[in-house]
């Protein structure tokens, strides 16, 4: 009986150790996926920032060109004698 | 969850508005999922602590974690795809750039037109009155009667007289038609018009060696010729005073 109890205990310990290893494997899988998700988020942030920066630069250029055109048109309209024959 | 990115959405503003609404909706769902996951984690923890069969609770929790991670990844993919779709639509920027370039081109053409107008104002007019052949006279036909000469001398303006003084012996020069010369001044034109008394008359100038002699401008300091004489006279007076003073001193 004692031998049977010792074997049962050993089997239980083995089952517990296996379950523990399975849990560890699951946790490692989850942590790995979370890390991948984090890495994707970092890359996405970088790419989005660069795209937004380029868009902002383009908008700045367009805004400056528009301001320049406004000033030129204002100067030309303030001096209408240039276009009178 | 839909992830549609229509490339031709810049042509339809309604589609663009729908895309932005979709992005906002997916972002809001992701924010709500965070609170749901927090609540689920609390529930799993309490269930695990209170349950007798902890293995079943653990398995249920594992399964829920797997589904939650998949759901989070799905939501993140949806949000990122919508944002990417919104950012990749740069056609409007190129359209705006093209419009601005067109405006620039128009303004440059207007500027060139204005410069052209200004140049035409400064340029010699092509509609300048032409000579008629009857107003052209050769050298032998210049002989006129003394009455005509007297009448002409009476009608001439003082400036014309000054020109005659300057020209000297150039009165007998033949008159030829003076064609387009932009260097002519307006004074000469008005002078000729006054002399002839008609507006449509030809502009006749005496020409020698192919060059018009009227280009010589009369001296504007003509009226100040009397002033140096006064100075000279004063100098002579001073000189005579000094001489008389010297003579007086010699006498004494």
């Amino acid at each position: 009986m004692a031998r049977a109890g010792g074997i049962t205990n050993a089997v239980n310990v083995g089952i517990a150790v296996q379950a523990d290893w399975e849990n560890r494997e699951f946790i490692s899988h989850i942590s790995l996926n979370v890390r991948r998700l984090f890495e994707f988020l970092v890359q996405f942030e970088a790419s989005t920032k660069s795209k937004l920066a380029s868009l902002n630069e383009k908008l700045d250029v367009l805004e400056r060109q528009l301001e320049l055109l406004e000033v030129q048109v204002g100067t030309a309209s303030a001096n209408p004698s240039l276009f009178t024959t | 969850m839909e992830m549609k990115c229509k490339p031709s959405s810049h042509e339809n503003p309604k589609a663009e508005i729908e895309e932005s609404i979709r992005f906002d909706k997916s972002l809001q769902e992701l924010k709500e999922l965070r609170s749901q996951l927090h609540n689920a984690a609390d529930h799993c923890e309490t269930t695990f602590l209170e349950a007798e069969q902890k293995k079943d609770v653990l398995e249920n929790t594992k399964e829920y974690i797997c589904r939650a991670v998949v759901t989070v990844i799905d939501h993140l993919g949806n949000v990122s795809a919508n944002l990417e779709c919104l950012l990749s639509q740069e056609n409007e920027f190129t359209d705006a750039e093209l419009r601005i370039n067109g405006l620039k081109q128009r303004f440059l053409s207007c500027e060139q037109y204005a410069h052209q107008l200004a140049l035409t104002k400064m340029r010699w007019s092509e509609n300048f009155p032409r000579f008629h052949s009857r107003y052209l006279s050769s050298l032998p036909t210049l002989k006129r009667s003394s009455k005509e000469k007297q009448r002409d001398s009476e009608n001439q303006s003082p400036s014309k007289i000054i020109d005659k003084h300057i020209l000297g012996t150039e009165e007998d020069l033949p008159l030829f038609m003076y064609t387009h010369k932009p260097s002519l001044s307006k004074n000469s034109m008005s002078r000729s018009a006054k002399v002839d008394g008609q507006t449509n008359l030809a502009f006749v100038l005496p020409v020698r060696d192919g060059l018009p002699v009227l280009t010589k401008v009369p001296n504007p300091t003509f009226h100040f010729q009397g002033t140096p004489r006064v100075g000279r006279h004063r100098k002579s007076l001073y000189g005579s005073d000094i001489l008389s003073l010297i003579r007086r001193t010699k006498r004494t």
Side-chain angles (χ1 to χ4, degrees), chain B residues 48-146:
Chain B
F48 182 78
L49 290 174
E50 291 172 0
E52 292 179 358
Q53 295 291 330
K54 294 190 177 181
K55 193 177 180 181
D56 294 337
V57 176
L58 188 66
E59 291 297 325
N60 288 332
T61 307
K62 280 182 181 178
E63 193 177 350
Y64 182 76
I65 287 169
C66 286
R67 288 179 183 176
V69 168
V70 170
T71 309
V72 168
I73 289 172
D74 193 13
H75 275 84
L76 275 175
N78 193 16
V79 171
S80 61
N82 284 326
L83 186 60
E84 181 79 15
C85 189
L86 283 175
L87 289 178
S88 62
Q89 291 172 359
E90 296 181 2
N91 292 323
E92 293 188 357
F93 289 95
T94 53
D95 288 346
E97 201 170 357
L98 283 173
R99 285 179 201 165
I100 287 173
N101 285 331
L103 285 173
K104 261 187 176 179
Q105 202 68 31
R106 283 185 190 176
F107 185 79
L108 279 174
S109 59
C110 286
E111 210 173 24
Q112 282 181 352
Y113 178 68
H115 288 165
Q116 211 170 358
L117 281 178
L119 280 173
T120 48
K121 282 179 186 175
M122 301 295 292
R123 209 178 294 154
W124 183 256
S125 175
E126 292 181 359
N127 298 323
F128 192 73
R130 303 263 180 177
F131 288 101
H132 198 271
S133 58
R134 63 187 172 190
Y135 294 112
L136 294 174
S137 55
S138 58
L139 184 60
T141 58
L142 277 174
K143 293 175 181 176
R144 291 182 292 182
S145 64
S146 60

Side-chain angles (χ1 to χ4, degrees), chain A residues 1-79:
Chain A
M1 292 293 288
R3 278 187 186 175
I7 292 168
T8 310
N9 283 336
V11 170
N12 286 336
V13 170
I15 290 169
V17 169
Q18 190 179 358
D20 183 63
W21 275 111
E22 284 176 358
N23 288 333
R24 286 174 186 271
E25 188 183 6
F26 175 76
I27 290 168
S28 68
H29 277 301
I30 294 294
S31 64
L32 182 65
N33 283 322
V34 169
R35 281 181 186 177
R36 283 180 182 173
L37 188 64
F38 183 74
E39 191 179 352
F40 163 75
L41 285 175
V42 169
Q43 286 182 358
F44 179 70
E45 185 197 8
S47 66
T48 307
K49 273 187 177 178
S50 69
K51 285 183 180 178
L52 283 173
S54 67
L55 286 179
N56 190 26
E57 193 177 352
K58 282 184 181 177
L59 272 176
D60 283 341
V61 171
L62 291 177
E63 201 175 345
R64 282 177 199 165
Q65 287 180 349
L66 262 180
E67 284 179 359
L68 180 66
L69 269 177
E70 279 179 3
V71 171
Q72 285 177 342
V73 170
T75 308
S77 59
N79 192 10

